[in-house]
């Protein structure tokens, strides 16, 4: 199957392909020019709320395009890394202001492209703005440190240096926020980049790159190539000039990226799956916990790596909790995210529908959990042309069930009863992932105990598993990551390398570890 056809099938599952000669055509950005892919081919990107709406045509890039983009990044690197960091940051502050001005349009285009409701796409753009301002501030910090040397008349310090050329492979669920988490720190540290956005959301990443161009980021510093993981993505991970690959996506793809990087000794930072749990204890404010659970499970139609896909509920409040949860889930208005009344939008594409509906079947048949509400694809009326699935709650789940273990990445959550906080913590930790967890309780002792005992990168008290802020590190343990953290100042450790510097002003050879130093010398 041709790549273009494949894209069509991904987002336009019912074969209702339409001619899209009027759809706007977008290009790769390489060395400061908007250019076609060398293949001359384009793929179409559809609105998941209504696949008759073609969002645009985007280049099907191949290795040749990636190699050109990397060459442009190489060409621009020396000038950019030699530009003082505060000057680099000035450009990024301008970028932040441009994103503020364009926020409404960018959010609308994002909703059209990937489906989540306008409030959430506004939040996505806002997260990119926050990340830009916060991280651009590092242009006047990028702190290193000094430390005593062990010989007299010798000075020791550590400075950050750019890594070099970076390949950024980004997902569709936060198509502007997540690219910004990678792009802005990469730039402030003095690196140049090639971005390969998910094929379902090229427009939002192109919008971010256009804003970079407008802000005055020099040609070649930021390059973007659109296309498929198997071709353009693979060419990025394999390119020997890209010293670092930063990837966000599934754990399965992450493993492929990591292996490719290991082959050629490239630095690799991975943000991958999650199976996040909210623990609801018997003393919890139940109404508050319901609000958190609904938001965490069904925000972005459950398509967040931080989604609350497990709700572990103390037996004493279990019945009441499930009843209220189901009531609220049933009442959620599912529809086009562009409509202000909509509370939950579609899922991303036909493959996602297939996978999520498959899990709903697994939940009922194989796992034998109780389907408490939802479970259907919506195909009538306003839902006829999109990828809509009902908010779905499975109750009475056992922790070992597949729906309680595997990442579904859709509007499906599994409620698991627990007898105690200890048991709830054990269940929380009993999955392969370790991104986010939360506890609802009024008891500060139990809250701190849960915080301490859950093996995740993010933890919330009396709040959902979603809602990370850009000035705190983001990332997880176990199969969620490979030990790195994005956001915060911690991200600088991904996008810079430490150089230890020794300055000997004694005027003689001083041999560390060998020469004896006399007291007071
Ligand atoms: C993701 O789930 O892929 O914490 C990223 C949150 C958002 C980022 C989520 N700020 O839910």
């Amino acid at each position: 199957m041709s790549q273009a056809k494949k894209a069509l099938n991904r987002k336009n599952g019912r074969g209702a392909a339409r001619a899209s000669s009027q759809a706007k055509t977008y290009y790769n950005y390489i060395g400061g020019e908007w250019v076609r892919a060398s293949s001359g081919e384009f793929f179409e990107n559809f609105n998941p709320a209504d696949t008759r709406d073609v969002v645009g045509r985007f280049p099907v890039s191949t290795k040749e395009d990636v190699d050109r983009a990397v060459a442009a990044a190489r060409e621009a690197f020396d000038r950019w890394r030699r530009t003082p960091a505060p000057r680099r940051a000035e450009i990024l502050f301008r970028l932040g202001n441009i994103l503020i001005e364009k926020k409404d349009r960018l959010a609308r285009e994002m909703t059209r492209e990937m489906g989540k409701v306008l409030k959430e796409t506004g939040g996505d753009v806002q997260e990119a703005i926050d990340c830009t301002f916060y991280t651009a501030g590092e242009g006047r910090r990028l702190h290193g440190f000094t430390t005593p040397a062990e010989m007299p008349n010798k000075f020791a310090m550590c400075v950050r240096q750019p890594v070099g050329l970076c390949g950024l492979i980004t997902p569709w669920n936060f198509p502007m926020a997540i690219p910004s988490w990678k792009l802005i720190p990469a730039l402030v540290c003095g690196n140049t980049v090639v971005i390969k956005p998910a094929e379902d959301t090229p427009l939002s990443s192109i919008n971010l790159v256009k804003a970079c161009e407008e802000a005055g980021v020099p040609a070649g510093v930021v390059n973007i190539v659109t296309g498929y993981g198997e071709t353009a993505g693979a060419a990025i991970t394999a390119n020997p000039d890209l010293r670092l690959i930063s990837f966000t996506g599934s754990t399965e793809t992450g493993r492929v990226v990591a292996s490719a990087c290991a082959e050629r000794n490239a630095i690799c930072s991975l943000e991958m799956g999650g199976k996040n749990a909210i623990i609801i204890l018997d003393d919890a404010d139940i109404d508050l916990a319901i609000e958190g659970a609904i938001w965490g499970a069904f925000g972005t139609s459950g398509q967040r790596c931080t989604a609350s896909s497990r709700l572990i509920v103390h037996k004493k409040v279990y019945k009441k909790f499930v009843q209220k949860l189901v009531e609220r889930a049933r009442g959620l208005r599912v529809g086009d995210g562009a409509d202000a009344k909509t509370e939950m939008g579609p899922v991303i594409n036909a493959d996602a529908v297939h996978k999520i509906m498959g899990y709903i079947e697994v939940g009922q048949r194989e796992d034998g959990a109780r389907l408490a509400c939802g479970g259907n694809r919506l195909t009538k009326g306003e839902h006829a042309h999109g990828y809509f699935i009902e908010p779905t709650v499975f109750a009475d789940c056992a922790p070992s069930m597949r729906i309680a273990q595997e990442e579904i990445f859709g509007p499906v959550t599994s409620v698991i009863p627990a007898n105690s906080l200890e048991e709830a913590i054990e269940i929380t930790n009993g999955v392969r992932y370790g991104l986010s967890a939360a506890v609802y309780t009024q008891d500060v002792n139990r809250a701190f105990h849960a915080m301490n005992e859950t093996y995740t990168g993010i933890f919330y008290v009396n709040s959902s598993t979603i809602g990370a802020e850009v000035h705190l590190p983001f990332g997880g343990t176990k199969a969620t990551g490979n030990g790195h953290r994005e956001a915060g100042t911690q991200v600088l450790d991904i996008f810079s390398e430490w150089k230890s510097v020794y300055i000997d002003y004694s005027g003689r050879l001083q041999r560390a570890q060998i020469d004896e130093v006399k007291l007071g010398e």
Side-chain angles (χ1 to χ4, degrees), residues 230-280:
E230 303 87 317
T231 44
I236 285 190
T237 56
N239 191 300
D241 279 352
L242 292 171
R243 170 82 181 112
L244 177 151
I245 303 296
S246 170
F247 167 85
T248 299
S250 73
T251 298
E252 288 61 41
T253 309
R255 194 173 300 126
V256 176
V257 170
S259 312
C261 289
E263 275 304 313
R264 61 181 187 86
N265 195 29
I267 303 168
C268 170
S269 93
L270 307 170
E271 287 296 340
M272 301 175 288
K275 192 70 186 176
N276 316 288
I278 303 183
I279 299 174
I280 295 109

Side-chain angles (χ1 to χ4, degrees), residues 366-399:
E366 192 178 310
D367 290 348
R370 179 164 70 83
L371 181 65
C373 72
N376 298 303
R377 179 170 181 188
L378 298 166
T379 53
K380 302 216 168 67
E382 61 173 313
H383 301 122
H385 299 284
Y387 300 122
F388 297 97
I389 296 178
E390 288 177 328
T392 299
V393 175
F394 277 105
D396 309 343
C397 297

Side-chain angles (χ1 to χ4, degrees), residues 127 173-174 178 181 304-306 466-468 474:
E127 199 162 343
N173 64 337
F174 278 80
I178 292 181
W181 293 359
R304 296 193 187 211
C305 46
T306 51
I466 69 178
F474 183 97

